[in-house]
Amino acid sequence: VYDDPVAQYSSATCRREVVHHQINRYLSEKHRNKRMRSFLFFGESEDLVGRDFETIYLKLKLLRVLDLGGVRFPCEEGKKSLPEVIGDLIHLRYLGIADTFLSNLPSFISNLRFLQTLDASGNESIRQTIDLRNLTSLRHVIGKFVGELLIGDTVNLQTLRSISSYSWSKLNHEVFINLRDLEIFDSMWVDQRGVSLDLASFSKLKNLRALTLKVSTFKLSSESEETVRFQTLVELTLRCDIRRLPKDMDVIFPSLESLTLVRLCLEEDPMPALEKLQRLEDLSLTNCSYSETKMSISAQGFSRLNKLELF
């Protein structure tokens, strides 16, 4: 752990190193640790100075985990960009670049064919097409992906947050057999016309446990006669244009434990539909409007509810 600005620090054999706050001082000392497997940075956002990063990490061919969350990389052509040397770390399993003010991912990301986790959360919207088809070991993809996201063999993918509804509409949903956590949003940067989501578009996701939808057009019902059931879904967040909740919410979501409704303009009392959710423990209505003056819950309703939030 490198966290003391005055202490002498030297390690050429340590497998895992953590830097607290002083990443530029650490890099300027030009440590050579070819055995390093994990490198983590913790602390407030810090601008990366000079080219020391490239000269040091060029030699870390065995690195498996690299977390640079909060590091601000130098600008190239007016945009912050990842150092190209990261593309040579072909054994990486985890790449953390959250809160680094990035607005694009370079093409060399496709070199990291063993990568399992890509965390680019807390950054600007990534608008260009991102090609991840070579990364067949991916399990978790986290960021704000507006442009088209090219994903190949997704049998291992468990987390996809968050992806624009435009990008989601371009994907083959049948291959997401192990997806557990999904977030979809509408973006002002792409044309959403012709993109419509309904329950049927998620019916192939047999292992989905958490779903967040922040979209303008969504049908909380299916046009087919057969009711779509989400047997595994335990957490649902909806921020979309829904006026009435289906009466058979308990049939559609039999395992739901947590439900958050955001900015819904409700025209009917939602409680008769919601109180039948037998496993529901947390219910939150945030910034929702309701045209009537009263909501009613029966004595038998909400058999397991622990938390009710009306904001």
Side-chain angles (χ1 to χ4, degrees):
V1 178
Y2 185 91
D3 60 357
D4 190 336
V6 295
Q8 293 296 315
Y9 175 88
S10 176
S11 174
T13 59
C14 187
R15 296 291 185 95
R16 299 170 182 84
E17 296 193 10
V18 179
V19 173
H20 288 185
H21 300 285
Q22 302 114 17
I23 189 167
N24 282 302
R25 180 174 183 268
Y26 171 87
L27 293 175
S28 68
E29 294 175 4
K30 295 181 171 54
H31 299 279
R32 295 290 185 268
N33 184 355
K34 295 182 180 181
R35 297 188 180 188
M36 194 192 303
R37 299 294 194 275
S38 300
F39 179 86
L40 312 177
F41 169 75
F42 294 110
E44 299 175 1
S45 294
E46 186 172 343
D47 286 308
L48 206 60
V49 179
R51 314 300 294 187
D52 293 323
F53 183 91
E54 298 192 13
T55 59
I56 291 175
Y57 283 89
L58 189 61
K59 301 181 183 301
L60 300 182
K61 300 297 186 182
L62 301 178
L63 202 64
R64 303 292 198 274
V65 175
L66 179 60
D67 191 344
L68 297 170
V71 173
R72 295 195 290 259
F73 299 102
C75 289
E76 292 185 10
E77 298 180 356
K79 294 183 178 180
K80 294 192 178 295
S81 180
L82 284 178
E84 290 189 12
V85 67
I86 291 179
D88 295 325
L89 304 176
I90 60 172
H91 294 290
L92 275 184
R93 267 58 168 181
Y94 181 101
L95 177 60
I97 48 175
D99 303 307
T100 51
F101 296 87
L102 292 173
S103 59
N104 65 83
L105 288 180
S107 59
F108 63 66
I109 287 291
S110 62
N111 296 345
L112 310 177
R113 56 194 181 94
F114 298 113
L115 197 66
Q116 296 178 0
T117 298
L118 173 61
D119 183 1
S121 59
N123 293 314
E124 299 179 31
S125 298
I126 299 173
R127 303 180 209 171
Q128 87 270 31
T129 297
I130 304 297
D131 191 347
L132 303 177
R133 286 175 292 188
N134 289 340
L135 282 56
T136 56
S137 298
L138 272 178
R139 297 180 183 178
H140 310 284
V141 178
I142 307 169
K144 196 167 187 179
F145 302 97
V146 173
E148 197 167 347
L149 196 62
L150 305 179
I151 302 179
D153 183 359
T154 58
V155 66
N156 296 310
L157 195 64
Q158 299 176 20
T159 304
L160 183 56
R161 298 199 311 262
S162 56
I163 182 174
S164 70
S165 51
Y166 164 80
S167 185
W168 176 252
S169 69
K170 300 289 186 180
L171 295 172
N172 177 16
H173 305 150
E174 295 185 2
V175 298
F176 292 95
I177 56 176
N178 287 313
L179 194 64
R180 300 182 181 182
D181 189 346
L182 173 64
E183 179 173 330
I184 301 176
F185 69 99
D186 276 350
S187 171
M188 59 180 289
W189 301 111
V190 291
D191 188 356
Q192 305 289 158
R193 288 176 295 183
V195 177
S196 179
L197 300 177
D198 63 11
L199 286 180
S201 62
F202 305 106
S203 61
K204 306 295 184 182
L205 310 180
K206 300 300 185 182
N207 291 299
L208 195 64
R209 293 182 58 82
L211 175 63
T212 298
L213 296 176
K214 301 177 181 178
V215 297
S216 56
T217 57
F218 175 69
K219 298 177 182 177
L220 195 56
S221 60
S222 175
E223 294 182 356
S224 63
E225 295 182 2
E226 183 179 355
T227 301
V228 177
R229 291 177 171 83
F230 291 80
Q231 299 289 349
T232 59
L233 196 70
V234 297
E235 183 178 339
L236 176 64
T237 299
L238 292 176
R239 192 181 76 186
C240 40
D241 186 14
I242 295 176
R243 305 303 174 95
R244 296 177 177 85
L245 297 181
K247 297 292 191 289
D248 56 350
M249 287 280 287
D250 57 324
V251 178
I252 301 173
F253 305 109
S255 304
L256 202 63
E257 297 177 2
S258 176
L259 175 62
T260 301
L261 304 177
V262 184
R263 297 182 184 175
L264 269 60
C265 300
L266 298 168
E267 297 175 350
E268 290 183 355
D269 186 355
M271 295 305 175
L274 297 177
E275 68 175 16
K276 293 188 290 185
L277 294 167
Q278 294 298 312
R279 297 190 180 185
L280 194 67
E281 297 180 2
D282 294 347
L283 173 61
S284 176
L285 277 69
T286 302
N287 291 334
C288 294
S289 66
Y290 175 49
S291 57
E292 301 299 322
T293 59
K294 185 178 182 180
M295 291 183 181
S296 300
I297 301 173
S298 69
Q300 292 76 33
F302 293 119
S303 58
R304 294 180 61 175
L305 196 68
N306 291 325
K307 173 187 171 184
L308 174 61
E309 182 180 53
L310 304 173
F311 177 74

